[in-house]
Amino acid sequence: MANVSAKAPTLLADLGGTNVRFGIAHPDEDQPLIQESVRKYHVKDYASLGDAAKQYFKDAGHEAQRAIIAAAGRIDNGETVKVTNNPWAISAKSLAKELDLEWVHLVNDFAAQSMAVMLMTDEKSADGHQDLVPVGKLGVPKIGAKDEQTFVVVGPGTGLGVGGLLIRGDKVSVLQTEGGHAGFAAHSAEDIEILKVLNLRYGRVSNERLICGQGLVNLYEAICEISGQKPQEGITPEEVTKRATDETCPMCGRAVETFAGIFGSVAGDLVLTLGAWDGVYLTGGMTPILLPWIQKGNFRERFEAKGRFRDSMEQVPTQAIMNPEPGLIGGAALAIVEAGGTPLRR
């Protein structure tokens, strides 16, 4: 992390496998992310992050003195990152020089999303928008209500991201993990059959093989095979979701319902692994789209079904992040920290 310095306009980038989103943060503002500054670009249209950022500055008309880049990949010594589902490789020092910035700070995308929840609320705005929507009967926990709190942030998009948020007094820290690549644990007879199908295809089966965009397609194809049905070739995650919504494809409906249930199991396992008894935030590009199935399906049942720990799991709140820019909001929270402040609102 760069040395703490005075507040200054900060370029934010949320870099995934398909898109990169840019925005500008002013760390001294009550709402540090400048909403009108947000733009989205397709990764495939640019040779590098630097090229995309130059186009952003040209399009948006904003300037910045430093940058925080939230990237979907493992950060090596805080200096470089090779994005997991993306051809770009990024060097903090080279990018700072290319864009004439004081410094560039690289973070894992889910480290940023873990920070974002401190700037979010479950209150409805004038247009009816909510950043956070409870999943299940428990409400949204208040971050900072206790001196010690541990949360999980998990969500499917192009891949499956996993992060942790730790509150210890006035100190806030994040866990940058690759938990999405942990091995899939089958919990039901159907899970076992799905695992057999995907094991023959991939060998080792990680959680990300099921809980992400392509994972939804994998589930659809596996369920078709188990049921003796012929899957549609080249079907996309969007088509699976649409046909499930329209009730025009029973296999698509089963795939989405199974996705929600397995997502619940994975999220519950993360609570046990990290000791995140204070709550789970569900994020990623697919969560808002699949929220109806997460709300009404087996997500909470499978989340709570942890044997001797069921009673404890029933007390752990889960909430969906509905704000479309959690990565940029998290970058804004990090910009506050870099400038010597705290995003923790008690």
Side-chain angles (χ1 to χ4, degrees), residues 268-281:
D269 285 345
L270 288 167
V271 170
L272 299 177
T273 302
L274 297 182
W277 304 112
D278 295 291
V280 177
Y281 292 88

Side-chain angles (χ1 to χ4, degrees), residues 4 79 92 94 133-134 144 169-170 203 222 253 297 317:
V4 172
E79 292 295 329
S94 297
V133 174
D170 291 327

Side-chain angles (χ1 to χ4, degrees), residues 3-155:
N3 292 329
V4 172
S5 56
K7 298 176 177 67
T10 304
L11 172 68
L12 309 176
D14 179 17
L15 177 56
T18 305
N19 300 307
V20 57
R21 290 173 169 81
F22 291 108
I24 298 292
H26 287 277
D28 52 350
E29 299 288 339
D30 288 340
Q31 298 295 329
L33 174 63
I34 309 304
Q35 287 295 333
E36 61 268 24
S37 72
V38 176
R39 302 280 192 285
K40 181 176 77 172
Y41 298 84
H42 294 296
V43 167
K44 64 180 177 59
D45 294 338
Y46 299 90
S48 69
L49 178 61
D51 287 345
K54 290 173 187 175
Q55 186 63 48
Y56 166 75
F57 283 130
K58 181 179 178 181
D59 293 344
H62 287 275
E63 295 182 349
Q65 293 176 234
R66 70 269 309 246
I68 294 175
I69 311 298
R74 184 177 179 275
I75 312 301
D76 187 10
N77 295 322
E79 292 295 329
T80 59
V81 60
K82 174 65 180 73
V83 186
T84 305
N85 295 298
N86 173 313
W88 295 347
I90 301 158
S91 161
K93 289 181 179 178
S94 297
L95 187 63
K97 183 176 180 180
E98 181 180 359
L99 299 179
D100 193 25
L101 301 173
E102 292 175 9
W103 47 255
V104 170
H105 178 192
L106 299 177
V107 298
N108 177 268
D109 60 333
F110 266 74
Q113 296 208 31
S114 297
M115 293 289 289
V117 299
M118 288 183 289
L119 298 180
M120 292 184 178
T121 175
D122 61 336
E123 297 177 1
K124 287 188 178 181
S125 62
D127 60 3
H129 172 79
Q130 279 179 273
D131 290 335
L132 302 170
V133 174
V135 174
K137 298 177 182 179
L138 302 174
V140 173
K142 179 173 175 54
I143 291 182
K146 299 186 296 184
D147 281 343
E148 290 196 7
Q149 292 177 301
T150 303
F151 301 91
V152 162
V153 182
V154 56

Side-chain angles (χ1 to χ4, degrees), residues 279-293:
V280 177
Y281 292 88
L282 310 176
T283 186
M286 297 180 72
T287 292
I289 298 168
L290 298 180
L291 184 61
W293 285 274

Side-chain angles (χ1 to χ4, degrees), residues 209-262:
R209 290 293 188 190
L210 297 93
I211 308 301
C212 70
Q214 181 57 42
L216 181 57
V217 174
N218 288 343
L219 281 170
Y220 161 77
E221 292 175 344
I223 289 169
C224 285
E225 182 173 331
I226 292 165
S227 304
Q229 304 285 327
K230 183 175 176 58
Q232 177 187 317
E233 292 186 15
I235 195 168
T236 65
E238 294 78 12
E239 289 170 333
V240 173
T241 305
K242 183 178 186 303
R243 292 177 188 183
T245 303
D246 296 344
E247 298 183 353
T248 56
C249 172
M251 295 296 102
C252 292
R254 281 184 58 189
V256 173
E257 290 172 358
T258 302
F259 183 104
I262 293 174

